[in-house]
Amino acid sequence: MMSNDDTKRGSSILNSLKKLIFEDDQPQQAPSVHTPPVPAPTAVPEKPTIPPAYSSPAESATTGKTPPPIPITANDGTTDLKEMKIKVYAILEKLNEQGVDFFEVWNAAAAMGKVEENTLKAAYTSLKFVDSSLSKDKLIATGTNYANKLKETIAKESEQKQAEKKKTEQDRTIEIANLNNEIKTITENIARLQADLQKKQLALGQINEKYEPKIKDIEQKINIGNAAVDEVVSEINNALRMINQSIT
Protein backbone atom coordinates (compact mmCIF):
# COMPACT_ATOMS: atom_id res chain seq x y z
CA MET A 1 0.00 0.00 0.00
CA MET A 2 1.25 3.50 -0.81
CA SER A 3 1.33 6.16 1.87
CA ASN A 4 -0.43 9.51 1.52
CA ASP A 5 2.86 11.09 0.53
CA ASP A 6 3.36 8.47 -2.16
CA THR A 7 -0.14 9.07 -3.47
CA LYS A 8 0.55 12.81 -3.65
CA ARG A 9 3.78 12.16 -5.49
CA GLY A 10 1.94 9.87 -7.92
CA SER A 11 -0.57 12.57 -8.67
CA SER A 12 2.23 15.08 -9.00
CA ILE A 13 4.09 13.13 -11.66
CA LEU A 14 0.88 12.42 -13.49
CA ASN A 15 0.08 16.11 -13.64
CA SER A 16 3.62 17.15 -14.57
CA LEU A 17 3.97 14.65 -17.41
CA LYS A 18 0.41 15.23 -18.61
CA LYS A 19 1.23 18.93 -18.84
CA LEU A 20 4.30 18.11 -20.92
CA ILE A 21 2.16 16.11 -23.37
CA PHE A 22 0.25 19.22 -24.37
CA GLU A 23 3.41 21.33 -24.49
CA ASP A 24 5.28 18.98 -26.83
CA ASP A 25 4.28 21.00 -29.89
CA GLN A 26 5.29 24.34 -28.33
CA PRO A 27 8.84 25.76 -28.48
CA GLN A 28 10.64 24.90 -25.28
CA GLN A 29 12.85 27.44 -23.54
CA ALA A 30 16.00 26.21 -21.93
CA PRO A 31 14.88 25.04 -18.49
CA SER A 32 16.36 26.78 -15.53
CA VAL A 33 17.93 24.25 -13.24
CA HIS A 34 16.56 24.76 -9.77
CA THR A 35 15.88 22.65 -6.78
CA PRO A 36 12.52 20.88 -7.24
CA PRO A 37 10.01 20.52 -4.42
CA VAL A 38 11.36 17.92 -2.07
CA PRO A 39 8.93 15.21 -0.95
CA ALA A 40 8.76 14.28 2.70
CA PRO A 41 11.12 11.44 3.64
CA THR A 42 9.48 8.04 3.57
CA ALA A 43 10.55 4.51 4.20
CA VAL A 44 12.93 3.49 1.43
CA PRO A 45 13.04 -0.11 0.21
CA GLU A 46 16.32 -1.98 0.01
CA LYS A 47 18.46 -1.19 -2.98
CA PRO A 48 17.19 -3.36 -5.85
CA THR A 49 19.36 -5.01 -8.43
CA ILE A 50 19.11 -4.00 -12.06
CA PRO A 51 16.64 -6.38 -13.74
CA PRO A 52 17.45 -7.97 -17.10
CA ALA A 53 15.88 -6.71 -20.33
CA TYR A 54 12.18 -7.43 -20.50
CA SER A 55 11.46 -10.96 -21.68
CA SER A 56 8.51 -12.29 -19.72
CA PRO A 57 6.12 -11.21 -16.94
CA ALA A 58 7.82 -13.53 -14.45
CA GLU A 59 11.27 -12.08 -15.10
CA SER A 60 10.05 -8.50 -14.87
CA ALA A 61 8.20 -8.80 -11.54
CA THR A 62 11.00 -7.42 -9.37
CA THR A 63 8.66 -5.88 -6.80
CA GLY A 64 5.94 -8.53 -6.78
CA LYS A 65 3.31 -6.02 -7.94
CA THR A 66 0.97 -6.98 -10.76
CA PRO A 67 -0.13 -4.51 -13.40
CA PRO A 68 -3.17 -2.55 -12.21
CA PRO A 69 -6.57 -3.32 -13.68
CA ILE A 70 -6.65 -0.12 -15.74
CA PRO A 71 -7.29 -0.80 -19.44
CA ILE A 72 -5.09 1.17 -21.80
CA THR A 73 -6.93 0.28 -24.99
CA ALA A 74 -10.46 0.18 -23.60
CA ASN A 75 -13.39 0.58 -26.00
CA ASP A 76 -14.08 4.13 -24.87
CA GLY A 77 -13.56 5.81 -28.21
CA THR A 78 -10.04 6.99 -27.36
CA THR A 79 -7.87 7.07 -30.49
CA ASP A 80 -5.75 10.17 -29.85
CA LEU A 81 -2.14 9.40 -28.87
CA LYS A 82 -2.05 12.12 -26.23
CA GLU A 83 -5.19 10.76 -24.57
CA MET A 84 -3.66 7.28 -24.61
CA LYS A 85 -0.50 8.58 -22.95
CA ILE A 86 -2.58 10.11 -20.16
CA LYS A 87 -4.11 6.68 -19.55
CA VAL A 88 -0.63 5.15 -19.42
CA TYR A 89 0.46 7.78 -16.88
CA ALA A 90 -2.57 6.79 -14.79
CA ILE A 91 -1.23 3.23 -14.72
CA LEU A 92 2.18 4.50 -13.68
CA GLU A 93 0.49 6.36 -10.85
CA LYS A 94 -0.86 3.04 -9.61
CA LEU A 95 2.54 1.38 -9.97
CA ASN A 96 4.44 4.03 -8.01
CA GLU A 97 6.54 2.43 -5.27
CA GLN A 98 7.26 3.87 -1.84
CA GLY A 99 10.37 5.93 -1.41
CA VAL A 100 12.38 7.96 -3.86
CA ASP A 101 13.23 6.26 -7.13
CA PHE A 102 13.03 6.80 -10.89
CA PHE A 103 9.41 7.93 -10.53
CA GLU A 104 10.24 10.91 -8.33
CA VAL A 105 13.32 11.91 -10.35
CA TRP A 106 11.30 11.77 -13.56
CA ASN A 107 8.60 13.86 -11.90
CA ALA A 108 11.03 16.48 -10.68
CA ALA A 109 12.65 16.73 -14.12
CA ALA A 110 9.22 17.16 -15.73
CA ALA A 111 8.37 19.89 -13.20
CA MET A 112 11.40 21.83 -14.47
CA GLY A 113 9.76 22.10 -17.88
CA LYS A 114 11.33 19.29 -19.89
CA VAL A 115 12.80 15.86 -19.23
CA GLU A 116 16.36 15.99 -20.51
CA GLU A 117 19.89 15.33 -19.29
CA ASN A 118 20.29 18.59 -17.36
CA THR A 119 16.94 18.41 -15.57
CA LEU A 120 17.33 14.69 -14.79
CA LYS A 121 20.78 15.31 -13.34
CA ALA A 122 19.53 18.28 -11.31
CA ALA A 123 16.54 16.30 -10.02
CA TYR A 124 18.77 13.36 -9.10
CA THR A 125 21.24 15.61 -7.25
CA SER A 126 18.47 17.31 -5.30
CA LEU A 127 16.57 14.17 -4.35
CA LYS A 128 19.72 12.33 -3.30
CA PHE A 129 19.84 14.72 -0.34
CA VAL A 130 16.40 13.42 0.67
CA ASP A 131 17.22 9.74 0.18
CA SER A 132 20.87 8.79 0.35
CA SER A 133 20.08 5.32 -1.07
CA LEU A 134 19.21 6.90 -4.41
CA SER A 135 21.75 5.87 -7.02
CA LYS A 136 22.16 5.42 -10.74
CA ASP A 137 21.60 1.68 -10.36
CA LYS A 138 18.40 2.28 -8.41
CA LEU A 139 17.12 4.68 -11.06
CA ILE A 140 17.84 2.20 -13.83
CA ALA A 141 16.37 -0.72 -11.85
CA THR A 142 13.12 1.02 -10.89
CA GLY A 143 12.73 2.76 -14.25
CA THR A 144 13.24 -0.53 -16.08
CA ASN A 145 10.73 -2.19 -13.78
CA TYR A 146 8.09 0.47 -14.49
CA ALA A 147 8.70 0.08 -18.23
CA ASN A 148 8.44 -3.71 -17.97
CA LYS A 149 5.20 -3.47 -16.01
CA LEU A 150 3.74 -1.25 -18.71
CA LYS A 151 4.91 -3.69 -21.40
CA GLU A 152 3.31 -6.53 -19.46
CA THR A 153 0.04 -4.63 -19.23
CA ILE A 154 -0.08 -3.71 -22.92
CA ALA A 155 0.97 -7.25 -23.89
CA LYS A 156 -2.01 -8.69 -22.01
CA GLU A 157 -4.34 -6.11 -23.51
CA SER A 158 -2.92 -6.67 -27.00
CA GLU A 159 -3.62 -10.38 -26.64
CA GLN A 160 -7.18 -9.62 -25.61
CA LYS A 161 -7.57 -7.13 -28.45
CA GLN A 162 -6.23 -9.67 -30.94
CA ALA A 163 -8.87 -12.14 -29.72
CA GLU A 164 -11.50 -9.38 -29.99
CA LYS A 165 -10.25 -8.56 -33.51
CA LYS A 166 -10.42 -12.22 -34.52
CA LYS A 167 -13.96 -12.53 -33.14
CA THR A 168 -14.98 -9.35 -34.98
CA GLU A 169 -13.49 -10.65 -38.23
CA GLN A 170 -15.35 -13.95 -37.74
CA ASP A 171 -18.59 -12.06 -37.12
CA ARG A 172 -17.97 -10.06 -40.28
CA THR A 173 -17.31 -13.24 -42.29
CA ILE A 174 -20.49 -14.87 -40.98
CA GLU A 175 -22.58 -11.77 -41.68
CA ILE A 176 -21.14 -11.47 -45.21
CA ALA A 177 -21.97 -15.15 -45.87
CA ASN A 178 -25.51 -14.71 -44.51
CA LEU A 179 -26.10 -11.57 -46.57
CA ASN A 180 -24.75 -13.25 -49.70
CA ASN A 181 -27.10 -16.20 -49.12
CA GLU A 182 -30.04 -13.85 -48.61
CA ILE A 183 -29.10 -11.87 -51.72
CA LYS A 184 -28.82 -15.12 -53.70
CA THR A 185 -32.25 -16.26 -52.50
CA ILE A 186 -33.83 -12.89 -53.28
CA THR A 187 -32.13 -12.82 -56.70
CA GLU A 188 -33.45 -16.30 -57.48
CA ASN A 189 -36.92 -15.25 -56.37
CA ILE A 190 -36.73 -12.14 -58.53
CA ALA A 191 -35.64 -14.24 -61.53
CA ARG A 192 -38.50 -16.65 -60.93
CA LEU A 193 -40.99 -13.81 -60.58
CA GLN A 194 -39.63 -12.17 -63.73
CA ALA A 195 -40.10 -15.43 -65.63
CA ASP A 196 -43.65 -15.70 -64.28
CA LEU A 197 -44.27 -12.08 -65.22
CA GLN A 198 -43.13 -12.70 -68.78
CA LYS A 199 -45.40 -15.73 -69.03
CA LYS A 200 -48.37 -13.74 -67.73
CA GLN A 201 -47.64 -10.86 -70.08
CA LEU A 202 -47.43 -13.28 -73.02
CA ALA A 203 -50.70 -14.93 -71.98
CA LEU A 204 -52.31 -11.52 -71.69
CA GLY A 205 -51.17 -10.65 -75.19
CA GLN A 206 -52.73 -13.86 -76.55
CA ILE A 207 -55.98 -13.64 -74.61
CA ASN A 208 -58.02 -12.14 -77.47
CA GLU A 209 -56.68 -14.68 -79.93
CA LYS A 210 -57.74 -17.42 -77.52
CA TYR A 211 -61.31 -16.27 -76.91
CA GLU A 212 -62.24 -14.42 -80.13
CA PRO A 213 -63.10 -17.56 -82.20
CA LYS A 214 -65.35 -18.89 -79.47
CA ILE A 215 -67.06 -15.53 -79.06
CA LYS A 216 -67.64 -15.26 -82.84
CA ASP A 217 -68.95 -18.83 -82.94
CA ILE A 218 -71.43 -18.03 -80.19
CA GLU A 219 -72.51 -14.83 -81.93
CA GLN A 220 -72.99 -16.79 -85.20
CA LYS A 221 -75.13 -19.39 -83.47
CA ILE A 222 -77.24 -16.68 -81.87
CA ASN A 223 -77.72 -14.97 -85.22
CA ILE A 224 -78.58 -18.25 -87.02
CA GLY A 225 -80.93 -19.22 -84.20
CA ASN A 226 -82.71 -15.87 -84.40
CA ALA A 227 -82.92 -16.16 -88.21
CA ALA A 228 -84.32 -19.67 -88.00
CA VAL A 229 -86.88 -18.64 -85.41
CA ASP A 230 -87.87 -15.59 -87.51
CA GLU A 231 -88.43 -17.79 -90.58
CA VAL A 232 -90.45 -20.39 -88.64
CA VAL A 233 -92.51 -17.66 -86.95
CA SER A 234 -93.08 -16.10 -90.38
CA GLU A 235 -94.25 -19.47 -91.71
CA ILE A 236 -96.60 -19.90 -88.74
CA ASN A 237 -97.99 -16.42 -89.24
CA ASN A 238 -98.50 -17.08 -92.95
CA ALA A 239 -100.34 -20.34 -92.19
CA LEU A 240 -102.47 -18.57 -89.62
CA ARG A 241 -103.33 -15.91 -92.18
CA MET A 242 -104.40 -18.53 -94.74
CA ILE A 243 -106.46 -20.39 -92.12
CA ASN A 244 -108.14 -17.22 -91.16
CA GLN A 245 -109.05 -16.56 -94.74
CA SER A 246 -110.08 -20.04 -95.88
CA ILE A 247 -111.76 -21.57 -92.96
CA THR A 248 -115.17 -20.25 -91.88
Side-chain angles (χ1 to χ4, degrees), residues 12-87:
S12 176
I13 190 170
L14 178 62
N15 292 333
S16 298
L17 292 172
K18 181 168 64 175
K19 181 180 178 182
L20 289 185
I21 291 177
F22 296 101
E23 293 179 352
D24 284 345
D25 299 331
Q26 302 297 326
Q28 291 285 346
Q29 297 180 351
S32 59
V33 178
H34 64 278
T35 303
V38 178
T42 57
V44 180
E46 295 182 2
K47 180 178 179 179
T49 58
I50 300 176
Y54 181 84
S55 58
S56 69
E59 292 175 345
S60 66
T62 58
T63 63
K65 274 193 173 184
T66 56
I70 301 177
I72 297 176
T73 57
N75 297 327
D76 58 0
T78 300
T79 56
D80 183 77
L81 178 59
K82 291 181 179 180
E83 293 178 358
M84 283 290 187
K85 286 182 69 175
I86 291 174
K87 295 172 73 174

Side-chain angles (χ1 to χ4, degrees), residues 156-172:
K156 290 179 179 178
E157 287 199 26
S158 295
E159 184 178 355
Q160 294 173 352
K161 289 298 179 183
Q162 286 295 336
E164 182 180 340
K165 176 187 174 185
K166 184 177 180 180
K167 175 63 168 56
T168 302
E169 289 175 339
Q170 290 174 342
D171 290 344
R172 179 182 64 181

Side-chain angles (χ1 to χ4, degrees), residues 52-239:
Y54 181 84
S55 58
S56 69
E59 292 175 345
S60 66
T62 58
T63 63
K65 274 193 173 184
T66 56
I70 301 177
I72 297 176
T73 57
N75 297 327
D76 58 0
T78 300
T79 56
D80 183 77
L81 178 59
K82 291 181 179 180
E83 293 178 358
M84 283 290 187
K85 286 182 69 175
I86 291 174
K87 295 172 73 174
V88 174
Y89 287 143
I91 290 182
L92 279 173
E93 185 178 12
K94 294 289 185 180
L95 289 172
N96 188 20
E97 298 284 352
Q98 292 185 355
V100 180
D101 59 10
F102 171 83
F103 206 85
E104 283 66 36
V105 173
W106 197 26
N107 176 30
M112 294 180 191
K114 187 176 182 180
V115 178
E116 55 186 8
E117 289 186 10
N118 290 339
T119 55
L120 285 170
K121 186 175 181 179
Y124 169 74
T125 301
S126 299
L127 291 175
K128 191 170 178 62
F129 284 103
V130 178
D131 187 347
S132 60
S133 71
L134 190 63
S135 65
K136 177 180 178 180
D137 286 349
K138 183 176 182 180
L139 290 179
I140 294 175
T142 54
T144 301
N145 183 61
Y146 290 138
N148 287 343
K149 289 293 186 180
L150 287 176
K151 290 179 182 179
E152 180 181 343
T153 300
I154 195 62
K156 290 179 179 178
E157 287 199 26
S158 295
E159 184 178 355
Q160 294 173 352
K161 289 298 179 183
Q162 286 295 336
E164 182 180 340
K165 176 187 174 185
K166 184 177 180 180
K167 175 63 168 56
T168 302
E169 289 175 339
Q170 290 174 342
D171 290 344
R172 179 182 64 181
T173 300
I174 292 173
E175 187 166 353
I176 288 175
N178 289 339
L179 287 172
N180 280 331
N181 288 334
E182 291 177 8
I183 290 172
K184 181 181 178 182
T185 300
I186 293 172
T187 302
E188 291 174 350
N189 289 338
I190 291 174
R192 185 172 60 254
L193 289 172
Q194 287 178 333
D196 290 343
L197 176 61
Q198 291 176 352
K199 290 179 181 179
K200 299 301 182 184
Q201 288 175 333
L202 180 62
L204 179 61
Q206 296 174 343
I207 196 73
N208 289 334
E209 182 180 349
K210 176 181 178 181
Y211 286 96
E212 192 64 27
K214 187 175 181 178
I215 291 173
K216 288 182 178 180
D217 182 64
I218 294 172
E219 288 180 346
Q220 185 179 9
K221 289 179 180 180
I222 292 173
N223 291 333
I224 292 173
N226 286 332
V229 169
D230 287 344
E231 288 187 5
V232 171
V233 169
S234 178
E235 291 175 356
I236 292 174
N237 287 333
N238 187 46

